[in-house]
Coordinates of all heavy atoms in Angstrom, one line a residue:
M1 N 2.6 10.1 20.4 CA 3.7 9.9 21.4 C 3.6 10.9 22.5 O 3.7 12.1 22.2 CB 5.0 10.0 20.6 CG 6.2 9.6 21.4 SD 7.5 9.4 20.3 CE 8.9 9.7 21.3
H2 N 3.4 10.5 23.7 CA 3.3 11.4 24.9 C 2.2 12.4 24.7 O 2.4 13.5 25.1 CB 4.7 12.1 25.2 CG 5.7 11.1 25.4 ND1 5.8 10.3 26.5 CD2 6.9 10.9 24.7 CE1 6.9 9.5 26.4 NE2 7.5 9.9 25.3
G3 N 1.2 12.1 24.0 CA 0.1 13.0 23.8 C 0.2 14.1 22.8 O -0.5 15.1 22.8
F4 N 1.2 14.0 21.9 CA 1.5 15.1 20.9 C 1.5 14.4 19.6 O 2.5 14.5 18.8 CB 2.9 15.7 21.1 CG 2.9 16.5 22.5 CD1 3.7 16.0 23.5 CD2 2.3 17.6 22.6 CE1 3.8 16.7 24.7 CE2 2.3 18.4 23.9 CZ 3.1 17.8 24.9
P5 N 0.3 13.9 19.1 CA 0.3 13.2 17.7 C 0.6 14.2 16.6 O 1.2 13.8 15.6 CB -1.1 12.6 17.7 CG -1.9 13.4 18.6 CD -1.0 13.9 19.7
D6 N 0.2 15.4 16.7 CA 0.4 16.4 15.6 C 1.9 16.7 15.5 O 2.5 16.8 14.4 CB -0.3 17.7 15.8 CG -1.8 17.5 15.7 OD1 -2.2 16.5 15.0 OD2 -2.5 18.3 16.3
R7 N 2.6 16.9 16.6 CA 4.1 17.1 16.5 C 4.8 15.9 16.0 O 5.8 16.0 15.2 CB 4.6 17.4 17.9 CG 4.3 18.8 18.4 CD 5.0 19.1 19.7 NE 4.7 20.4 20.2 CZ 5.1 20.8 21.4 NH1 5.9 20.1 22.1 NH2 4.8 22.0 21.7
R8 N 4.4 14.7 16.4 CA 5.0 13.5 15.9 C 4.8 13.3 14.4 O 5.8 13.1 13.7 CB 4.4 12.3 16.6 CG 5.0 11.0 16.2 CD 4.5 9.8 17.1 NE 5.2 8.6 16.7 CZ 4.5 7.6 16.1 NH1 3.2 7.6 15.9 NH2 5.2 6.5 15.8
R9 N 3.7 13.6 13.9 CA 3.3 13.5 12.5 C 4.1 14.5 11.7 O 4.7 14.2 10.7 CB 1.8 13.7 12.2 CG 1.4 13.5 10.8 CD -0.1 13.7 10.6 NE -0.9 12.9 11.5 CZ -1.6 13.4 12.5 NH1 -1.7 14.7 12.6 NH2 -2.4 12.6 13.3
K10 N 4.2 15.7 12.2 CA 5.0 16.8 11.6 C 6.5 16.4 11.5 O 7.2 16.6 10.5 CB 4.9 18.1 12.3 CG 5.6 19.3 11.7 CD 5.4 20.6 12.5 CE 6.2 21.7 11.8 NZ 6.1 22.9 12.6
A11 N 7.1 15.8 12.6 CA 8.4 15.4 12.6 C 8.7 14.3 11.7 O 9.8 14.3 11.0 CB 8.8 15.0 14.0
I12 N 7.8 13.4 11.5 CA 8.0 12.2 10.6 C 8.0 12.8 9.1 O 8.8 12.4 8.3 CB 6.9 11.2 10.8 CG1 7.2 10.4 12.1 CG2 6.9 10.2 9.6 CD1 6.2 9.5 12.5
I13 N 7.0 13.6 8.8 CA 6.9 14.2 7.5 C 8.2 15.1 7.2 O 8.7 15.0 6.1 CB 5.6 15.1 7.3 CG1 4.4 14.1 7.4 CG2 5.6 15.9 6.1 CD1 3.1 14.8 7.5
Q14 N 8.6 15.8 8.2 CA 9.8 16.6 8.0 C 11.0 15.7 7.7 O 11.8 16.0 6.8 CB 10.1 17.5 9.2 CG 11.3 18.4 9.0 CD 11.5 19.3 10.2 OE1 10.8 19.2 11.2 NE2 12.5 20.2 10.1
M15 N 11.2 14.6 8.4 CA 12.3 13.8 8.2 C 12.2 13.1 6.8 O 13.2 13.1 6.1 CB 12.3 12.6 9.2 CG 13.4 11.6 9.0 SD 13.2 10.1 10.0 CE 11.7 9.4 9.3
L16 N 11.0 12.7 6.3 CA 10.9 12.1 5.0 C 11.1 13.1 3.9 O 11.6 12.7 2.8 CB 9.5 11.4 4.9 CG 9.3 10.2 5.8 CD1 7.9 9.7 5.7 CD2 10.3 9.1 5.5
V17 N 10.7 14.3 4.0 CA 10.7 15.3 3.0 C 12.0 16.1 3.0 O 12.5 16.4 1.9 CB 9.5 16.3 3.1 CG1 9.6 17.4 2.1 CG2 8.2 15.5 2.9
V18 N 12.6 16.3 4.1 CA 13.8 17.2 4.1 C 15.1 16.4 4.4 O 16.0 16.4 3.7 CB 13.7 18.3 5.2 CG1 14.9 19.1 5.3 CG2 12.5 19.2 4.9
A19 N 15.1 15.6 5.5 CA 16.3 15.0 6.0 C 16.7 13.8 5.1 O 17.9 13.7 4.8 CB 16.1 14.5 7.4
M20 N 15.9 12.9 4.7 CA 16.2 11.8 3.9 C 16.8 12.2 2.5 O 17.9 11.7 2.1 CB 15.1 10.8 3.8 CG 14.7 10.2 5.1 SD 16.1 9.4 5.9 CE 16.3 8.0 4.9
P21 N 16.2 13.1 1.8 CA 16.8 13.5 0.5 C 18.1 14.2 0.7 O 19.0 14.0 -0.1 CB 15.7 14.5 -0.1 CG 14.5 14.1 0.5 CD 14.8 13.6 1.9
F22 N 18.3 15.0 1.8 CA 19.5 15.6 2.0 C 20.6 14.6 2.3 O 21.7 14.7 1.8 CB 19.3 16.6 3.3 CG 20.6 17.4 3.6 CD1 20.9 18.5 2.7 CD2 21.3 17.1 4.7 CE1 22.0 19.2 3.1 CE2 22.4 17.9 4.9 CZ 22.8 18.9 4.2
Y23 N 20.3 13.6 3.1 CA 21.2 12.5 3.4 C 21.6 11.8 2.1 O 22.8 11.5 1.9 CB 20.5 11.5 4.4 CG 21.3 10.3 4.6 CD1 22.5 10.3 5.4 CD2 21.0 9.1 4.0 CE1 23.2 9.2 5.6 CE2 21.8 7.9 4.1 CZ 22.9 8.0 5.0 OH 23.6 6.8 5.2
L24 N 20.7 11.5 1.2 CA 21.0 10.8 0.0 C 21.9 11.6 -0.9 O 22.8 11.1 -1.6 CB 19.7 10.4 -0.8 CG 19.0 9.2 -0.2 CD1 17.7 9.0 -0.9 CD2 19.8 8.0 -0.3
L25 N 21.7 12.9 -0.9 CA 22.5 13.8 -1.8 C 24.0 13.7 -1.3 O 24.9 13.9 -2.1 CB 22.0 15.2 -1.7 CG 20.8 15.5 -2.6 CD1 20.3 17.0 -2.3 CD2 21.1 15.3 -4.0
H26 N 24.2 13.5 0.0 CA 25.5 13.4 0.5 C 26.1 12.0 0.5 O 27.3 11.8 0.3 CB 25.6 13.9 1.9 CG 25.5 15.4 2.0 ND1 24.3 16.1 2.0 CD2 26.5 16.4 2.0 CE1 24.5 17.4 2.0 NE2 25.8 17.5 2.0
W27 N 25.2 11.0 0.6 CA 25.6 9.6 0.6 C 26.2 9.1 -0.7 O 27.2 8.4 -0.8 CB 24.5 8.7 1.1 CG 24.7 7.3 1.1 CD1 25.4 6.6 2.1 CD2 24.4 6.3 0.2 NE1 25.5 5.3 1.8 CE2 24.8 5.1 0.6 CE3 23.7 6.4 -1.0 CZ2 24.6 3.9 -0.1 CZ3 23.4 5.3 -1.7 CH2 23.9 4.0 -1.3
I28 N 25.5 9.5 -1.8 CA 25.8 9.0 -3.1 C 27.3 9.3 -3.5 O 28.0 8.4 -3.9 CB 24.8 9.4 -4.2 CG1 23.5 8.7 -3.9 CG2 25.3 9.1 -5.6 CD1 22.4 9.2 -4.8
P29 N 27.7 10.6 -3.4 CA 29.1 10.9 -3.8 C 30.2 10.2 -2.9 O 31.2 9.7 -3.4 CB 29.2 12.4 -3.6 CG 27.9 12.9 -3.7 CD 27.0 11.8 -3.2
F30 N 29.8 10.1 -1.6 CA 30.8 9.4 -0.7 C 30.9 7.9 -1.1 O 32.0 7.3 -1.0 CB 30.4 9.5 0.8 CG 30.8 10.9 1.3 CD1 29.8 11.8 1.6 CD2 32.1 11.2 1.6 CE1 30.1 13.1 2.1 CE2 32.4 12.4 2.1 CZ 31.5 13.4 2.4
R31 N 29.7 7.3 -1.4 CA 29.7 5.9 -1.7 C 30.4 5.6 -3.1 O 30.9 4.6 -3.3 CB 28.3 5.4 -1.7 CG 28.0 4.0 -2.0 CD 28.4 3.1 -0.9 NE 28.2 1.7 -1.3 CZ 27.4 0.8 -0.8 NH1 26.6 1.2 0.1 NH2 27.4 -0.4 -1.3
A32 N 30.2 6.6 -4.0 CA 30.7 6.4 -5.4 C 32.2 6.6 -5.5 O 32.8 6.3 -6.5 CB 30.0 7.2 -6.3
Y33 N 32.9 7.2 -4.5 CA 34.3 7.6 -4.7 C 35.1 6.3 -4.6 O 35.0 5.4 -3.7 CB 34.7 8.5 -3.5 CG 36.1 9.0 -3.7 CD1 36.5 9.9 -4.7 CD2 37.2 8.6 -2.9 CE1 37.7 10.3 -4.9 CE2 38.4 9.0 -3.0 CZ 38.7 9.9 -4.0 OH 40.0 10.3 -4.2
D34 N 36.1 6.2 -5.5 CA 37.0 5.1 -5.6 C 38.4 5.6 -5.3 O 39.0 6.3 -6.1 CB 37.0 4.5 -7.0 CG 37.8 3.2 -7.2 OD1 38.5 2.9 -6.2 OD2 37.9 2.7 -8.3
P35 N 38.9 5.3 -4.1 CA 40.2 5.8 -3.7 C 41.4 5.3 -4.5 O 42.4 6.0 -4.6 CB 40.4 5.4 -2.2 CG 39.3 4.5 -1.9 CD 38.3 4.5 -3.0
S36 N 41.2 4.1 -5.1 CA 42.4 3.6 -5.9 C 42.6 4.4 -7.1 O 43.7 4.5 -7.6 CB 42.1 2.1 -6.2 OG 41.0 1.9 -7.0
T37 N 41.5 4.9 -7.8 CA 41.7 5.7 -9.0 C 41.5 7.2 -8.6 O 41.6 8.0 -9.5 CB 40.6 5.3 -10.0 OG1 39.2 5.5 -9.4 CG2 40.7 3.9 -10.4
E38 N 41.2 7.5 -7.4 CA 40.9 8.9 -7.0 C 39.8 9.6 -7.9 O 40.0 10.7 -8.3 CB 42.2 9.7 -6.9 CG 43.1 9.2 -5.9 CD 44.4 10.0 -5.8 OE1 44.6 11.0 -6.5 OE2 45.2 9.7 -4.8
S39 N 38.8 8.9 -8.2 CA 37.7 9.5 -9.0 C 36.4 8.8 -8.5 O 36.3 7.9 -7.7 CB 37.9 9.2 -10.4 OG 37.9 7.8 -10.7
F40 N 35.3 9.2 -9.1 CA 34.0 8.7 -8.8 C 33.6 7.6 -9.8 O 34.0 7.8 -11.0 CB 33.0 9.8 -8.8 CG 33.2 10.8 -7.8 CD1 33.9 12.0 -8.0 CD2 32.7 10.6 -6.5 CE1 34.1 12.9 -7.0 CE2 32.9 11.5 -5.5 CZ 33.6 12.6 -5.7
S41 N 33.0 6.6 -9.4 CA 32.7 5.5 -10.2 C 31.4 4.9 -9.9 O 31.1 4.6 -8.7 CB 33.8 4.4 -10.1 OG 33.4 3.2 -10.7
L42 N 30.5 4.6 -10.9 CA 29.3 4.0 -10.6 C 29.5 2.5 -10.1 O 28.6 2.0 -9.4 CB 28.4 4.0 -11.9 CG 27.9 5.3 -12.3 CD1 27.1 5.2 -13.6 CD2 27.1 6.0 -11.3
R43 N 30.6 1.9 -10.5 CA 30.9 0.6 -10.0 C 31.0 0.5 -8.5 O 30.6 -0.5 -7.9 CB 32.2 0.2 -10.6 CG 32.7 -1.2 -10.3 CD 34.0 -1.6 -11.0 NE 35.0 -0.5 -10.9 CZ 36.0 -0.5 -9.9 NH1 36.0 -1.5 -9.0 NH2 36.8 0.4 -9.8
M44 N 31.4 1.6 -7.9 CA 31.6 1.6 -6.4 C 30.3 1.6 -5.7 O 30.2 1.1 -4.6 CB 32.4 2.8 -6.0 CG 33.9 2.7 -6.4 SD 34.7 1.2 -5.8 CE 34.9 1.7 -4.1
L45 N 29.2 2.1 -6.4 CA 27.9 2.1 -5.7 C 27.3 0.7 -5.5 O 26.6 0.5 -4.6 CB 26.9 2.9 -6.6 CG 27.1 4.4 -6.6 CD1 26.2 5.0 -7.6 CD2 26.9 5.0 -5.2
R46 N 27.8 -0.2 -6.4 CA 27.3 -1.6 -6.3 C 28.1 -2.5 -5.4 O 27.8 -3.6 -5.1 CB 27.3 -2.2 -7.7 CG 26.2 -1.5 -8.6 CD 26.1 -2.1 -9.9 NE 27.2 -1.5 -10.7 CZ 27.9 -2.1 -11.6 NH1 27.6 -3.3 -12.0 NH2 28.9 -1.4 -12.2
Q47 N 29.3 -2.0 -4.9 CA 30.2 -2.8 -4.1 C 29.6 -2.9 -2.7 O 29.1 -1.9 -2.1 CB 31.6 -2.1 -4.0 CG 32.4 -2.1 -5.2 CD 32.8 -3.5 -5.6 OE1 33.2 -4.3 -4.7 NE2 32.9 -3.8 -6.9
P48 N 29.6 -4.1 -2.1 CA 29.3 -4.2 -0.7 C 30.2 -3.4 0.2 O 31.4 -3.2 -0.2 CB 29.4 -5.7 -0.4 CG 29.6 -6.4 -1.7 CD 30.0 -5.4 -2.7
A49 N 29.7 -3.0 1.3 CA 30.5 -2.1 2.2 C 31.8 -2.8 2.6 O 32.9 -2.1 2.7 CB 29.7 -1.8 3.4
Q50 N 31.9 -4.1 2.8 CA 33.1 -4.8 3.2 C 34.2 -4.8 2.1 O 35.4 -5.0 2.4 CB 32.8 -6.2 3.9 CG 32.1 -7.1 2.9 CD 30.6 -7.0 3.2 OE1 30.1 -5.9 3.4 NE2 29.9 -8.1 3.1
N51 N 33.8 -4.7 0.9 CA 34.7 -4.7 -0.2 C 35.3 -3.3 -0.6 O 36.2 -3.2 -1.4 CB 34.1 -5.3 -1.5 CG 33.8 -6.8 -1.3 OD1 34.2 -7.4 -0.4 ND2 33.0 -7.3 -2.2
R52 N 34.7 -2.3 0.0 CA 35.1 -0.9 -0.3 C 36.1 -0.4 0.7 O 35.8 -0.7 1.9 CB 33.9 0.0 -0.4 CG 33.1 -0.1 -1.6 CD 32.0 0.9 -1.6 NE 31.0 0.6 -0.6 CZ 30.8 1.5 0.5 NH1 31.5 2.5 0.6 NH2 29.9 1.1 1.4
P53 N 37.2 0.1 0.4 CA 38.1 0.7 1.4 C 37.5 1.9 2.0 O 36.8 2.7 1.4 CB 39.4 1.1 0.6 CG 38.9 1.2 -0.9 CD 37.7 0.3 -1.0
T54 N 37.8 2.1 3.3 CA 37.3 3.3 4.0 C 38.2 4.5 3.6 O 39.4 4.3 3.1 CB 37.3 3.1 5.5 OG1 38.7 2.9 5.9 CG2 36.5 1.9 5.9
P55 N 37.8 5.7 3.8 CA 38.6 6.9 3.5 C 39.9 6.9 4.2 O 40.9 7.4 3.8 CB 37.7 8.0 3.8 CG 36.4 7.6 3.7 CD 36.4 6.1 4.1
R56 N 39.9 6.3 5.4 CA 41.2 6.3 6.2 C 42.2 5.2 5.8 O 43.2 5.1 6.2 CB 40.8 6.0 7.7 CG 40.1 7.2 8.3 CD 39.8 6.9 9.7 NE 38.9 5.7 9.8 CZ 37.6 5.8 10.0 NH1 36.9 6.9 10.1 NH2 36.8 4.7 10.1
A57 N 41.7 4.3 4.8 CA 42.5 3.2 4.4 C 43.6 3.6 3.4 O 44.5 2.8 3.1 CB 41.7 2.1 3.9
H58 N 43.6 4.8 2.9 CA 44.5 5.2 1.9 C 45.1 6.6 2.4 O 44.7 7.1 3.3 CB 43.9 5.3 0.5 CG 42.8 6.4 0.4 ND1 41.6 6.3 0.9 CD2 42.9 7.6 -0.1 CE1 40.9 7.3 0.7 NE2 41.7 8.2 0.1
R59 N 46.1 7.0 1.7 CA 46.9 8.2 2.1 C 46.0 9.4 2.1 O 45.2 9.9 2.1 CB 48.0 8.6 1.2 CG 49.0 7.5 1.2 CD 50.3 8.0 0.5 NE 50.2 8.0 -1.0 CZ 50.9 8.8 -1.8 NH1 51.7 9.6 -1.2 NH2 50.8 8.7 -3.0

């Protein structure tokens, strides 16, 4: 990309090795939280996004 293939390759590897696992570590607890019971539930991980309440939807 723009004559910098080494920088591009390094950025892609960094994203795959550092950023994506970091994102997943934060995404799983947010996705698993059930606001109706105020706890974490594996059931919530399987819910489609439109069936899950947003954090702003409850008190």
